[in-house]
Amino acid sequence: MNAAPRIQTTAGRLAALGFADGARAERLLDELGPEAVGDFALLDDIVRAADPDLALTTLSRLVERDASVLGAFRDDPDLRRRVLGVFGLSAALGEHVVRHPECLPSIRSPRWPTLGDLREEMLVAVGADPDAAEPVAEPATEGGAAGPGTSGPAMEALRVAYRNRLLHLATRDVTGECTLAEAAAALADLASAALEAALAIARAEVADAGDVRLAVIGMGKCGARELNYISDVDVVFVAEPKEGVDETKALQTATRLAQGMMRACSASTPEGALWEVDANLRPEGKMGPLVRSMESHLAYFRRWAKTWEFQALLKARPVAGDLELGQEYVAAVNELVWQAAARPHFVEDVQAMRRRVEAHVPAGEADRQIKLGPGGLRDIEFAVQLLQLVHGRSDPLLRRRATLSALAALSRGGYVGRDDAKALAEAYTFLRQVEHMLQLHRLRRTHMVPSDTADLRRLGRGLGMTTDPVGEFTTTWKRHALEVRRLHEKLFYRPLLQAVARLPETEARLSTAAATARLEALGYADPEGALRHIAALTSGVSRRAAIQRTLLPVMLGWFADAPDPDAGLLGFRQVSDKLGTTPWYLRLLRDETAAADRLARLLGTSKYVTGLLLHAPEAVAMLGSPAELAVRPAATLAAEAAAAVGRYAEDAETAVAAVRALRRRELFRTACADLSGLIDIEEVGQALSSLNDVTIQAALDTAINKVTLERRAPFPTRMAVIAMGRLGGLESSYASDADVMFVHAPLPGAVERDAAVAAHAVAEETRRLLALPAPDPPLQIDAGLRPEGRQGPLVRTIASYRAYYDRWASHWEAQALLRARFCAGDAELGRAFVALVEPLRYPAEGISADAVREIRKLKARMEAERLPRGADPALHTKLGRGGLSDVEWVAQLIQLRHAGAVPVLRTTRTLDALRAAAGEGLLDPADEEVLAQAWLFASRIRDALMLVRGRAADSIPTPVKERVLLARALGYPPEGTEDFVEDYRRATRRARAVVERVFYEG
């Protein structure tokens, strides 16, 4: 009757000691026997394990297999402490001990064997003579002894020997007898020994194995001697024929040896596999030959290798096979590695590497990834390796393989601050320890921090956190991740400030030459100029300089990510000079990360945006939120413009200057939204056209008011402005003029001649006011599409337009009127004009075959005569093959033919007309899609040319740098410039084929 309370009490005590399941723990302890129940030292070591339940479960299984273990543990407390420590962390190694209890004596020694000892041990395990120049595994029998058979038993023996040593190392690691660096180096040495034994197995299977020298070059963590417990082992193979052997035959033999070695490591056996041997870092990756000669390797690296391949070669080290050949290989490639930063495409390759790293993080895993996620191991490794490549050219002391030793060298050389290096080293050590414990549990390759509480508890306890293992571990991990991410962003840039700003730092400074090299490597074309800008922004003791010293380390990185870092930094200095004393400016950039990021990328992308901002620097305030960049309604802008005109009613030039300032601000808003991807190209055209409408209306009102004041009499006529061309189609670009026609209608009782003179004066004044030299972009009013062109009257009455169109209108004028719409002035008069031209542009019966031929001839003549001399027809966005003009003429011909009978075609917009034509069966939907894609692409390019260069252009530029800037502004990666050009050629080629068929033949 008293047993139940006793069990409950004991189970509770065990739970209090750290067991998750106290009752089960009590049962397992009872099953171990009375001696174990009373062995408090044994219980204490179990409780100290990271997972006491796992440790006790594994011990129970081991005792079932070999009861003498308990006695051995009592006789050797050190052995007990080591083994139980591993049992509490690694279910996989515990399983190995249960299967092979005979391995326990081998781990009693705290000393770790040398690489030579490990190599001998692994070779003996597979039956090879370790003293032979090229050890060959003996064919093994089922029992593993020499004799006829297959390599299977040898591979099993290799796995058992390897895991015995892995267990030995884990016991030293868990008990703190070796540092992280020592454990990682020991794992790499053990892998090297295993590779040597695997190569011996391969030699036993390959005929003529002695005809070739084969070196196995360790790469990645294996090469750097910083390997994980379980990881792919990255290698590269290099081979040379022995004297008198044909090279082709030797390379074939070497390839079979390499394949056999890889299979000996990765093949599944009753003892499992060791790990995958990954040779994908070789030249040409998976597509390249597995084994190459030294000459072939070097030829590839000199001609074809990307920067990331040299970054990988930082870690190269001979690990197995012909070590002399391996040393020759490493010495040869090192000469190339340390010149990689001087390569023409170094910056683009670096940026591509960063994107590739980020792309490898699966969606939804980034916040738990300790390797690839933000603030993970790759952030540290990438930053350290890039600094090595940049500064190792001139500083041989930085040429280290392992991350921690390289980081220490960077700190000693002044390339990384001491405090930053210390924080990174601590974070790297912590993250690698977590990585090791994650992998030890099941001996599986993983970098994901689990979400399960029991797993987190095991990790926390394994790191010595006993009070609140889950909470302490999570807090520490997140703190390190945030610090790593911050330092990753800062690492390249903070020392640049030290080099120029005389900061009160105790550590060694980055020299001017080193700072210049770093800026050059990051993509700054004028590093000396960049250093001058940095000095101007950060020098001094003012609050402004102090905030700039906080901002610039991050912003310099954002500039480096932009297409033109130099322009970005220069623009930032210019804007800061204008606004530096404004209290809100630097506070906004410091406190609103999104605003500072967006400003840096805009300044580094667009000279147009920079120019707008320099004349209205207060517009920086709208960068803090995407909502601030939303296109404002036309009615709101019209009210604001009208208020400005009303304030300066007595001064026309001041009134229109205020309106043009409004337009400049809205151009900036639209350009920022465009470059930030918040609006598409159709929305850009709509926004710019509406803004131009508002501007013309305000200028017209101002001109009417001025002319009225000058006449000292009421204005005698009504006026309307009819938008034509791209403005009429609501498709304005940043560089577009405003194509318009002016119409007026004399008021009752007015003298027609007087009304015409007044209307003409207003039209001229409107044009003058909008074109006056000023800091704000002009809006050129082009009335060249009016009847009789530039020779005809600038302004006509409705009756005059009707008389002209009834008698003289040509096909091209009817075509031009397809885009006519009212945009400013008297709305009733505007509607009357539009009604007047409806029959002309939408003929009820369509247009005749003769008219179609005339339109086609005119188009062909334009293609032959209007394309600028020397322009590439394939790259001219407006008049080139498949460009804007081609697509627009197709849409307009369909409208002239069918809009009289099909009302849905009556639109001034190109894409709407094409969509309507496809919807009505007048154009194949596939053709409509091809034409629309080409038109959108060409429109985006024309706008991007203006944004990037700050001046209008119609052709994709020839100079490589300008093409790169343009491609980047359009969203292509740095290495995607040729892809951009080819994409455009492809889109317009397909569009031209449709034009040939639909416009010229249909």
Side-chain angles (χ1 to χ4, degrees):
M1 295 295 294
N2 294 327
R6 182 184 67 79
I7 291 174
Q8 185 178 12
T9 301
T10 303
R13 288 174 180 171
L14 289 172
L17 287 173
F19 289 95
D21 187 342
R24 183 173 181 275
E26 183 184 15
R27 177 174 58 78
L28 291 176
L29 285 169
D30 285 343
E31 290 174 358
L32 290 177
E35 292 184 1
V37 173
D39 190 340
F40 295 110
L42 173 67
L43 181 61
D44 188 51
D45 282 338
I46 293 173
V47 168
R48 289 177 185 274
D51 185 342
D53 297 86
L54 177 60
L56 179 57
T57 299
T58 306
L59 176 62
S60 175
R61 293 182 59 214
L62 178 59
V63 170
E64 283 182 15
R65 178 76 181 270
D66 183 356
S68 67
V69 167
L70 290 176
F73 280 1
R74 280 195 300 273
D75 295 340
D76 191 342
D78 184 60
L79 175 66
R80 180 186 66 223
R81 179 172 56 88
R82 289 165 176 270
V83 173
L84 291 176
V86 172
F87 282 2
L89 266 180
S90 178
L93 286 177
E95 179 66 29
H96 177 75
V97 175
V98 170
R99 287 202 313 274
H100 301 282
E102 68 278 3
C103 72
L104 288 177
S106 66
I107 62 173
R108 280 192 166 123
S109 170
R111 186 186 71 84
W112 179 252
T114 65
L115 175 59
D117 293 338
L118 289 171
R119 179 178 178 275
E120 179 177 349
E121 187 176 316
M122 297 300 120
L123 287 170
V124 168
V126 300
D129 179 3
D131 296 325
E134 294 181 339
V136 179
E138 292 290 337
T141 65
E142 290 298 320
T150 70
S151 60
M155 288 195 287
E156 290 183 37
L158 174 59
R159 283 146 177 73
V160 172
Y162 178 87
R163 291 216 172 83
N164 286 347
R165 276 301 169 198
L166 198 67
L167 174 68
H168 181 193
L169 177 61
T171 63
R172 300 185 72 246
D173 193 2
V174 167
T175 54
E177 294 168 26
C178 62
T179 65
L180 169 72
E182 290 169 340
L187 285 165
D189 289 347
L190 181 56
S192 297
L195 289 171
E196 193 69 68
L199 186 55
I201 293 173
R203 287 195 187 102
E205 299 175 336
V206 176
D208 303 322
D211 289 348
V212 64
R213 300 172 65 196
L214 177 64
V216 184
I217 310 299
M219 305 287 283
K221 285 183 164 58
C222 179
R225 295 186 78 230
E226 50 186 10
L227 199 62
N228 298 329
Y229 273 96
I230 187 69
S231 176
D232 289 353
V233 173
D234 296 307
V235 300
V236 167
F237 298 102
V238 59
E240 292 292 329
K242 295 282 185 71
E243 186 175 351
V245 178
D246 175 72
E247 180 175 307
T248 301
K249 179 177 180 296
L251 289 175
Q252 291 172 346
T253 300
T255 300
R256 292 196 297 274
L257 282 172
Q259 291 169 336
M261 188 202 81
M262 296 169 73
R263 186 169 56 254
C265 294
S266 61
S268 180
T269 74
E271 291 293 337
L274 292 182
W275 13 252
E276 289 293 324
V277 178
D278 189 341
N280 289 337
L281 291 177
R282 65 185 184 270
E284 300 180 80
K286 293 180 180 180
M287 307 306 294
L290 182 62
V291 182
R292 289 177 183 256
S293 67
M294 175 88 77
E295 182 181 354
S296 177
H297 273 280
L298 296 179
Y300 172 84
F301 289 130
R302 289 180 181 128
R303 187 171 183 184
W304 302 111
K306 296 284 197 299
T307 299
W308 73 263
E309 293 178 276
F310 291 110
Q311 184 175 353
L313 286 168
L314 280 171
K315 309 289 189 182
R317 177 178 66 92
V319 293
D322 191 317
L323 297 182
E324 182 180 349
L325 176 60
Q327 291 289 3
E328 293 172 8
Y329 174 86
V330 171
V333 298
N334 272 347
E335 294 182 10
L336 302 174
V337 166
W338 298 111
Q339 297 304 316
R343 291 162 58 86
H345 302 294
F346 178 77
V347 176
E348 291 84 351
D349 288 342
V350 166
Q351 292 169 331
M353 280 189 285
R354 289 177 62 181
R355 284 192 299 275
R356 194 156 46 241
V357 168
E358 293 169 1
H360 273 77
V361 183
E365 292 187 5
D367 59 339
R368 308 199 73 82
Q369 259 271 6
I370 61 170
K371 179 179 180 181
L372 301 178
L377 290 164
R378 190 56 59 85
D379 271 359
I380 302 173
E381 293 164 350
F382 183 89
V384 168
Q385 290 165 23
L386 192 52
L387 286 174
Q388 285 182 277
L389 287 173
V390 171
H391 299 296
R393 295 170 60 193
S394 56
D395 190 346
L397 295 178
L398 302 182
R399 299 176 185 180
R400 312 295 179 93
R401 293 189 181 98
T403 301
L404 289 176
S405 62
L407 182 57
L410 287 164
S411 177
R412 286 192 296 271
Y415 304 100
V416 177
R418 282 199 296 267
D419 290 343
D420 291 348
K422 180 182 178 184
L424 284 173
E426 289 176 353
Y428 186 79
T429 300
F430 174 83
L431 293 171
R432 286 297 304 275
Q433 287 174 331
V434 173
E435 184 180 45
H436 279 188
M437 284 191 287
L438 287 171
Q439 295 177 350
L440 267 174
H441 185 50
R442 298 289 181 190
L443 283 185
R444 290 177 184 164
R445 186 171 178 265
T446 180
H447 309 285
M448 285 285 293
V449 175
S451 55
D452 181 74
T453 301
D455 291 330
L456 291 172
R457 181 171 178 269
R458 183 181 67 253
L459 290 174
R461 286 174 58 91
L463 290 166
M465 302 169 180
T466 55
T467 305
D468 177 17
V470 175
E472 288 181 61
F473 167 75
T474 303
T475 300
T476 305
W477 167 41
K478 295 297 184 184
R479 173 172 56 81
H480 280 304
L482 286 172
E483 182 70 357
V484 167
R485 195 60 177 176
R486 183 185 71 83
L487 291 174
H488 175 74
E489 293 172 342
K490 164 188 173 182
L491 204 55
F492 289 97
Y493 308 107
R494 178 70 180 178
L496 297 172
L497 274 62
Q498 290 175 239
V500 299
R502 300 187 179 280
L503 300 185
E505 301 282 354
T506 57
E507 62 227 28
R509 295 177 183 275
L510 197 65
S511 69
T512 301
T516 300
R518 185 173 298 190
L519 283 166
E520 186 176 9
L522 291 164
Y524 289 83
D526 180 14
E528 291 84 0
L531 286 175
R532 289 194 296 272
H533 298 321
I534 294 169
L537 287 163
T538 60
S539 295
V541 295
S542 67
R543 182 173 178 274
R544 170 188 172 188
I547 296 177
Q548 290 283 22
R549 288 195 289 268
T550 301
L551 285 171
L552 268 179
V554 175
M555 293 196 71
L556 284 168
W558 288 332
F559 292 137
D561 288 337
D564 192 344
D566 299 85
L569 181 55
L570 171 61
F572 180 66
R573 179 183 174 183
Q574 292 171 327
V575 173
S576 295
D577 285 346
K578 286 182 176 288
L579 284 177
T581 58
T582 306
W584 58 264
Y585 166 61
L586 289 176
R587 186 169 62 246
L588 169 72
L589 298 184
R590 182 193 63 196
D591 299 340
E592 298 288 342
T593 303
D597 184 2
R598 188 172 284 119
L599 175 63
R601 296 181 193 279
L602 289 168
L603 293 175
T605 301
S606 174
K607 289 183 180 179
Y608 182 78
V609 165
T610 303
L612 292 173
L613 190 58
L614 289 177
H615 293 297
E618 67 280 357
V620 168
M622 70 175 68
L623 298 180
S625 165
E628 286 292 320
L629 297 179
V631 175
R632 299 178 69 198
T636 303
L637 296 177
E640 187 176 345
V645 170
R647 280 195 304 272
Y648 304 106
E650 303 297 322
D651 186 343
E653 293 186 2
T654 301
V656 172
V659 173
R660 287 174 62 179
L662 179 154
R663 179 171 179 266
R664 175 194 58 212
R665 184 195 69 203
E666 297 308 314
L667 286 172
F668 176 79
R669 190 192 310 274
T670 302
C672 292
D674 184 1
L675 288 167
S676 301
L678 301 176
I679 54 177
D680 62 28
I681 191 63
E682 288 191 82
E683 292 169 316
V684 170
Q686 174 76 57
L688 294 176
S689 300
S690 297
L691 179 58
N692 288 343
D693 287 356
V694 168
T695 305
I696 294 169
Q697 178 69 64
L700 181 70
D701 290 343
T702 302
I704 290 174
N705 185 59
K706 180 181 179 182
V707 170
T708 300
L709 291 173
E710 290 174 347
R711 287 168 49 87
R712 298 185 180 182
F715 194 65
T717 188
R718 295 181 296 145
M719 289 191 68
V721 182
I722 306 302
M724 303 288 286
R726 301 189 74 79
L727 177 61
L730 296 170
E731 298 161 352
S732 294
S733 69
Y734 297 103
S736 291
D737 291 343
D739 289 312
V740 304
M741 294 195 299
F742 293 97
V743 59
H744 81 107
L747 294 171
V751 177
E752 288 195 15
R753 173 65 180 166
D754 184 45
V757 170
H760 182 85
V762 166
E764 288 287 17
E765 182 65 7
T766 301
R767 297 169 73 185
R768 186 188 73 85
L769 289 171
L770 291 176
L772 281 173
D776 307 306
L779 180 58
Q780 300 290 347
I781 301 295
D782 187 343
L785 292 176
R786 65 186 185 269
E788 302 178 82
R790 302 188 188 281
Q791 304 303 313
L794 182 60
V795 188
R796 288 176 183 260
T797 62
I798 286 279
S800 177
Y801 276 108
R802 179 182 294 111
Y804 175 85
Y805 288 138
D806 286 346
R807 186 171 183 183
W808 303 108
S810 63
H811 301 305
W812 75 262
E813 287 178 300
Q815 185 177 348
L817 287 168
L818 286 168
R819 291 187 164 202
R821 68 172 179 87
F822 165 73
C823 75
D826 188 290
E828 183 181 353
L829 180 59
R831 287 192 293 271
F833 178 88
V834 171
L836 166 69
V837 300
E838 290 283 284
L840 184 61
R841 61 179 177 175
Y842 307 138
E845 303 299 326
I847 56 175
S848 67
D850 288 342
V852 171
R853 280 194 295 273
E854 287 299 318
I855 290 172
R856 289 171 176 167
K857 287 179 181 179
L858 178 60
K859 175 72 168 69
R861 189 164 66 248
M862 284 181 57
E863 291 179 13
E865 297 175 359
R866 292 188 58 188
L867 192 69
R869 181 177 297 177
D872 184 348
L875 299 179
H876 197 279
T877 59
K878 182 177 180 180
L879 301 174
R881 295 190 291 269
L884 295 171
S885 179
D886 266 4
V887 177
E888 289 162 2
W889 281 61
V890 169
Q892 291 159 15
L893 182 58
I894 293 173
Q895 288 179 292
L896 289 170
R897 282 175 148 180
H898 303 288
V902 183
V904 73
L905 287 171
R906 297 172 189 175
T907 174
T908 64
R909 308 192 70 171
T910 302
L911 295 187
D912 285 352
L914 292 174
R915 291 167 186 144
E920 294 295 320
L922 301 171
L923 180 67
D924 188 292
D927 289 343
E928 181 269 326
E929 182 178 359
V930 168
L931 293 172
Q933 287 178 351
W935 190 91
L936 289 168
F937 204 166
S939 296
R940 288 179 61 219
I941 291 172
R942 286 189 82 203
D943 274 2
L945 282 165
M946 183 66 177
L947 290 171
V948 169
R949 304 170 72 182
R951 61 184 189 276
D954 289 318
S955 283
I956 295 174
T958 301
V960 173
K961 181 179 179 181
E962 291 190 23
R963 279 194 179 182
V964 170
L965 296 179
L966 179 62
R968 294 286 305 279
L970 289 166
Y972 285 82
E975 68 277 12
T977 303
E978 291 309 311
D979 291 339
F980 150 62
V981 176
E982 184 52 39
D983 287 350
Y984 180 72
R985 289 181 184 274
R986 184 184 306 110
T988 52
R989 194 164 53 239
R990 294 174 64 205
R992 181 63 181 191
V994 174
V995 172
E996 296 281 359
R997 178 163 36 81
V998 175
F999 183 83
Y1000 285 109
E1001 299 173 7

